[in-house]
Amino acid sequence: MTELRQNLITRDWVIIATERAKRPDDFTKPQKSQIVIPSYQPDCPFCLGNEHLTGPESFRLKDNNSWRVRAVPNKYPALTPIGEKVRNIEKTFRSMAGVGFHEVIIEHPRHDVIIPFLELKDIVNILRVYRLRYAEIKQDKRIQTILIFKNHGKGAGTSLEHPHSQLAATPIVPYQLRIRIQEAMRYFDDTGECLFCRTLADELAAEERIIYASKHFVAFIPYAALSPFHTWIFPRRHSSSFDEITESEMLDLADNLKTVLGKLYYGLNNPDYNYIIRSIPTDEQRTDYFHWYLAIVPRVSLTAGFEMGSGMFINTAVPEENAAFLRSVEIPE
């Protein structure tokens, strides 16, 4: 019968709709006629040789021949680095200048490569630029939260085909993150341990929702996953802030991310997805209660009136079955 499960990290109650549950392969994206994506597009601002079509670079990672990853300001930024962090309060009306940073991280010179097909060193390059930009922007005292995210596919919100990620740095802590931190603090006060570390230990002991475990990271579908194939990648080492990731951990995360996204690509026929790196606010660094992680959310289902009205999610997939399905997906050499 239908079961309600609670995700202790998000505090969300999730309805695992077993009566309406679909088989894992029912979420496979319909096969379309193969469209050949060129390695270079003359009008693409992110392609090699078209650097003049973007704004001035924030950062460039290069080798002996050319750049490998670039960070540039978003052409249509949600936040801009000009201005002061001043709150305006009048009765119940509150506002603040949109101070912050909004950058695009161009992941590779080629137009046609995505993470499952990159070499590990190229994925490490992407993660290294994430870390470098995070660490530099963190120094700005106006910034409280830095979010690194990737939109893959139109259903996930991407508007440009060339592989890229984004970084958004805000002068406030978003409510969703604030609530998670408060719950993590409460759990630590009650038990003396990190909720994220406890969750990881329980998932490793249960085994049934693990997708892929490497030396430093574990990818799993949470017990109360909010949506089908919703995946978390946790570092085994307790660390609150993403910019504390080490070189060896970056190589291992590259392997983990490539594997999981490869399994989604071959298992669900390249679904649209978002991934997000969740980290502690910038005015904190090392805490006993918070643990940074990466979340992958395939866009294989829709939210409707019930979710909007209740704040609860209906997951029409059983997490244990989805994890078993992804474990079974073979990635071609």
Side-chain angles (χ1 to χ4, degrees):
M1 61 182 294
T2 294
E3 180 182 22
L4 272 75
R5 297 182 181 182
Q6 188 177 27
N7 187 315
L8 288 187
I9 289 175
T10 68
R11 301 303 294 182
D12 289 304
W13 279 97
V14 182
I15 297 175
I16 307 296
T18 51
E19 298 296 322
R20 299 163 55 183
K22 300 178 181 179
R23 292 169 51 86
D25 53 8
D26 288 338
F27 293 96
T28 301
K29 190 176 178 181
Q31 193 80 18
K32 295 182 179 179
S33 57
Q34 191 69 21
I35 299 174
V36 177
I37 299 175
S39 60
Y40 169 77
Q41 282 275 36
D43 59 347
C44 173
F46 298 163
C47 278
L48 183 66
N50 294 346
E51 293 81 6
H52 62 286
L53 297 178
T54 66
E57 289 178 353
S58 307
F59 185 81
R60 171 184 289 213
L61 185 67
K62 59 184 179 180
D63 60 16
N64 293 330
N65 299 315
S66 180
W67 62 268
R68 307 308 301 167
V69 183
R70 297 173 68 223
V72 300
N74 194 302
K75 187 176 181 180
Y76 303 105
L79 301 152
T80 58
I82 300 171
E84 295 302 320
K85 178 182 170 181
V86 179
R87 290 177 183 259
N88 301 305
I89 302 175
E90 183 179 350
K91 298 181 181 178
T92 58
F93 307 111
R94 300 182 180 185
S95 65
M96 182 187 296
V99 177
F101 295 85
H102 191 182
E103 295 186 349
V104 173
I105 296 168
I106 305 165
E107 298 171 357
H108 197 274
R110 287 185 56 154
H111 188 83
D112 61 341
V113 289
I114 57 177
I115 287 176
F117 302 128
L118 287 175
E119 295 183 32
L120 282 183
K121 65 179 182 180
D122 290 319
I123 305 173
V124 170
N125 284 339
I126 297 167
L127 296 174
R128 184 171 289 122
V129 173
Y130 287 174
R131 184 183 66 178
L132 289 166
R133 295 307 299 146
Y134 188 106
E136 181 171 339
I137 290 171
K138 180 180 177 179
Q139 302 307 311
D140 191 312
K141 299 303 181 184
R142 299 171 299 174
I143 299 304
Q144 284 195 269
T145 307
I146 300 174
L147 188 70
I148 297 169
F149 62 97
K150 179 179 176 64
N151 305 329
H152 174 77
K154 291 184 178 179
T158 191
S159 57
L160 286 172
E161 189 175 57
H162 194 117
H164 65 282
S165 312
Q166 297 184 59
L167 180 152
T170 69
I172 51 91
V173 178
Y175 180 72
Q176 183 190 81
L177 177 58
R178 179 73 76 193
I179 289 296
R180 295 185 186 194
I181 292 170
Q182 290 172 352
E183 292 299 332
M185 292 175 68
R186 181 178 293 112
Y187 186 88
F188 183 81
D189 288 343
D190 289 344
T191 67
E193 64 179 346
C194 167
L195 173 58
F196 300 83
C197 292
R198 179 74 264 163
T199 298
L200 179 57
D202 289 348
E203 291 292 356
L204 284 168
E207 296 185 339
E208 56 189 343
R209 287 173 294 276
I210 303 296
I211 299 171
Y212 182 67
S214 52
K215 181 178 180 181
H216 296 293
F217 290 86
V218 180
F220 63 96
I221 294 179
Y223 171 74
L226 306 184
S227 58
F229 295 96
H230 192 133
T231 300
W232 285 349
I233 301 179
F234 275 22
R236 292 180 187 264
R237 178 175 67 90
H238 178 82
S239 174
S240 299
S241 186
F242 167 71
D243 62 323
E244 292 187 330
I245 189 171
T246 66
E247 287 291 320
S248 60
E249 287 173 334
M250 277 196 291
L251 178 59
D252 194 67
L253 179 56
D255 170 61
N256 209 298
L257 191 58
K258 177 182 173 74
T259 300
V260 174
L261 294 181
K263 286 178 175 290
L264 288 171
Y265 181 93
Y266 288 104
L268 300 181
N269 194 25
N270 191 21
D272 298 340
Y273 65 82
N274 305 98
Y275 73 58
I276 308 103
I277 295 176
R278 297 191 181 277
S279 188
I280 196 80
T282 57
D283 59 356
E284 301 182 65
Q285 185 73 17
R286 295 179 177 87
T287 72
D288 293 326
Y289 53 82
F290 194 83
H291 196 121
W292 77 266
Y293 66 98
L294 188 151
I296 304 172
V297 185
R299 294 302 193 97
V300 295
S301 64
L302 298 174
T303 55
F306 177 83
E307 287 86 354
M308 295 175 65
S310 67
M312 294 174 62
F313 290 82
I314 298 176
N315 189 345
T316 56
V318 179
E320 293 77 12
E321 294 178 0
N322 283 2
F325 172 78
L326 288 181
R327 284 197 303 271
S328 71
V329 173
E330 297 289 338
I331 300 175
E333 292 293 334

